[in-house]
Amino acid sequence: QKTNKEKRYKKMKKIINGLYGKFATYTPVAAFATAYARDNIIRTASKCYGRFQYADTDSIHKISKNK
């Protein structure tokens, strides 16, 4: 069963993806959004360097502390 945090994350992800789709036709907005997201992913991956596994376009995947 999903937690409230997971439900909120999925809802926000849908909203943000929809806005990107709407405004991405204006190239400067799309370029800024992409660069901002990439910077955020790189900074976050750097913070969990020892456990970092991989990143895709909108998330970081890391090894659990329990393993």
Side-chain angles (χ1 to χ4, degrees):
Q1 193 165 5
K2 293 183 182 178
T3 65
N4 284 339
K5 185 176 180 180
E6 290 170 320
K7 289 177 186 176
R8 189 171 56 243
Y9 171 80
K10 288 206 177 264
K11 188 182 290 185
M12 290 305 298
K13 185 175 175 180
K14 284 182 184 179
I15 291 170
I16 291 168
N17 284 344
L19 287 172
Y20 182 81
K22 181 176 178 73
F23 294 110
T25 56
Y26 184 59
T27 304
V29 172
F32 171 79
T34 303
Y36 181 83
R38 184 179 300 118
D39 179 64
N40 192 330
I41 287 173
I42 291 169
R43 288 175 189 269
T44 303
S46 295
K47 288 179 185 175
C48 60
Y49 177 77
R51 297 182 309 144
F52 176 75
Q53 237 177 339
Y54 72 96
D56 54 26
T57 57
D58 62 356
S59 60
I60 296 285
H61 301 267
K62 58 186 181 177
I63 300 168
S64 172
K65 285 183 178 181
N66 299 332
K67 291 185 178 185

